Amino acid sequence: MLTIGQLARCHGLSTKTLRHYDSIGLFSPALTGRGNGYRYYLPAQVAELGRIVMLRELGLSLDDIARLRGADEETLRQALREHAARLQGEIEERRQRIARIQRRLDQPEWSQTAMQTPEIVILPAFRVVGLAWSPQDEGDIPALWQRFLQREHEIADARPGGSYGLCQPLPDGGWRYLAALQSPPDAPVPDGMAAVEVPAQRYARFRHVGPVSGLPATFQAIHGSWLPAAGLEAAEGIEFEYMDERFLAPDHPDSLTELYIPIRA
């Protein structure tokens, strides 16, 4: 039989690591001395430990390795394929993050968007119909708009002129977003879409010029400084983006999006 030191040297591990594997039930000795507590291992366990070391070197967690104990070759290969796919996804995510960092560094100034004084408007009630997305759903808002553009023709008698990106608070404290068109009150709602009645409301109207990727920064400026500077307070309710012929493309530097924030009287 092999001592813990001998087995550890076979794979370049510390005896502390082997004791840890034993404590979590991942890899235990064949025999533990009654009097001295020494751990002893069978020669066959050299290969078993080698598999664990190999999987750790490939980046699998100890929990994943434990689940694969005793797995056949095909199960192991499938687990490694899935692990490789996860790693590829992480690489792509990091590449995108690096690209965002680079875009940030390329900006000439890091100062906040120039101050805007809102225009106060009062809109009557209206109805929109469109596709909805919530934060717990798969995908994101840009993907929602892609699906909506393929189906917007299904909305009967939609009012021409513009699209709505509507943020609706929900009773449970959550929210959902609709990519929508204005629709008559009695128009049917296509399968998979939703209708929302927007009540008459007083709004502060702001302008966002540039790619839609900059919208979060504009909303932060609106709620963090522009509304307070104008002596206004946002009201609980539906806020929305409005895009007409002045909206040139999602990534166009001259695209104009109007932002409507409900405010208290």
Side-chain angles (χ1 to χ4, degrees):
M1 301 187 78
L2 288 82
T3 66
I4 189 171
Q6 290 170 327
L7 184 60
R9 287 193 295 274
C10 287
H11 294 289
L13 300 177
S14 68
T15 56
K16 181 180 179 181
T17 297
L18 290 183
R19 292 189 182 95
H20 176 62
Y21 287 174
D22 184 18
S23 70
I24 63 175
L26 177 63
F27 182 76
S28 299
L31 176 67
T32 301
R34 291 184 179 180
N36 55 22
Y38 290 172
R39 294 169 169 82
Y40 299 96
Y41 299 85
L42 296 172
Q45 290 184 278
V46 174
E48 181 184 353
L49 180 59
R51 176 162 157 167
I52 293 173
V53 171
M54 179 267 293
L55 294 176
R56 282 296 283 160
E57 289 175 345
L58 294 178
L60 270 71
S61 69
L62 293 179
D63 288 340
D64 288 337
I65 294 172
R67 285 192 290 269
L68 290 170
R69 285 189 64 183
D72 59 28
E73 182 70 15
E74 182 53 36
T75 300
L76 179 60
R77 287 180 175 273
Q78 181 59 32
L80 290 176
R81 293 188 196 102
E82 294 172 357
H83 179 58
R86 287 194 299 270
L87 291 176
Q88 189 62 49
E90 292 172 4
I91 291 171
E92 182 58 31
E93 182 179 348
R94 288 176 181 271
R95 284 175 177 165
Q96 294 176 6
R97 189 173 300 169
I98 291 170
R100 290 197 296 271
I101 292 172
Q102 192 57 56
R103 287 195 296 270
R104 179 66 170 172
L105 292 173
D106 289 342
Q107 293 177 9
E109 297 181 0
W110 285 24
S111 58
Q112 194 178 55
T113 307
M115 177 71 72
Q116 286 188 38
T117 300
E119 179 185 359
I120 307 303
V121 296
I122 298 176
L123 298 182
F126 63 96
R127 177 183 189 249
V128 299
V129 173
L131 289 176
W133 176 87
S134 296
Q136 64 268 23
D137 295 339
E138 293 184 2
D140 53 18
I141 291 176
L144 171 73
W145 275 104
Q146 290 295 326
R147 297 197 306 273
F148 177 70
L149 292 175
Q150 297 172 2
R151 296 192 57 192
E152 61 179 351
H153 64 277
E154 300 176 25
I155 302 174
D157 301 322
R159 179 179 175 182
S163 302
Y164 292 81
L166 186 145
C167 185
Q168 179 189 27
L170 300 175
D172 63 359
W175 59 279
R176 67 173 180 171
Y177 182 94
L178 270 77
L181 297 177
Q182 190 169 342
S183 174
D186 56 351
V189 179
D191 289 343
M193 293 195 186
V196 173
E197 305 291 338
V198 183
Q201 178 66 51
R202 184 170 178 254
Y203 296 93
R205 179 166 62 192
F206 296 90
R207 293 158 55 94
H208 171 79
V209 178
V212 296
S213 59
L215 277 170
T218 300
F219 277 113
Q220 292 166 24
I222 287 171
H223 289 286
S225 59
W226 298 348
L227 281 175
L232 300 172
E233 183 180 354
E236 180 71 18
I238 295 171
E239 61 183 46
F240 61 89
E241 308 149 12
Y242 179 72
M243 293 144 287
D244 56 18
E245 69 278 358
R246 296 168 296 175
F247 183 83
L248 305 177
D251 58 352
H252 199 289
D254 298 323
S255 275
L256 173 65
T257 305
E258 291 185 344
L259 308 176
Y260 290 77
I261 310 298
I263 54 174
R264 299 185 185 278

